[in-house]
Amino acid sequence: METHRFVYDQVFDEEDDNETVYKFSLGKYLDIVFKGGILTCFAYGQTGSGKTYTMQGIERMAINDLFRFINSKEK
């Protein structure tokens, strides 16, 4: 932990849908993973506020983007 730098990027509220959260959080940093880096996405909030629902949604979006990237490299 002492050798890693973590950055607080964004705050979302109940008005933001999963696509918005993905676009402005995990989605814009996937190029780090494509280049062999490590990416951590952390959700913080009150119990029952929808963190699990949101994280599962953006996880699916990230997986779809990763497969699209892999498939584009295989051609």
Side-chain angles (χ1 to χ4, degrees), residues 23-38:
K23 179 181 176 183
F24 291 102
S25 62
L26 189 60
K28 70 180 188 178
Y29 296 110
L30 276 184
D31 62 320
I32 293 169
V33 177
F34 298 152
K35 295 175 184 173
I38 297 172

Side-chain angles (χ1 to χ4, degrees), residues 3-57:
T3 62
H4 293 80
R5 182 172 167 244
F6 293 90
V7 179
Y8 181 71
D9 294 331
Q10 190 78 31
V11 175
F12 301 98
D13 62 24
E14 69 275 2
E15 302 285 321
D16 295 314
D17 61 10
N18 285 358
E19 288 186 28
T20 300
V21 173
Y22 179 72
K23 179 181 176 183
F24 291 102
S25 62
L26 189 60
K28 70 180 188 178
Y29 296 110
L30 276 184
D31 62 320
I32 293 169
V33 177
F34 298 152
K35 295 175 184 173
I38 297 172
L39 181 64
T40 301
C41 185
F42 177 77
Y44 176 82
Q46 182 177 354
T47 300
S49 63
K51 296 176 301 294
T52 300
Y53 172 81
T54 300
M55 293 303 284
Q56 288 172 343

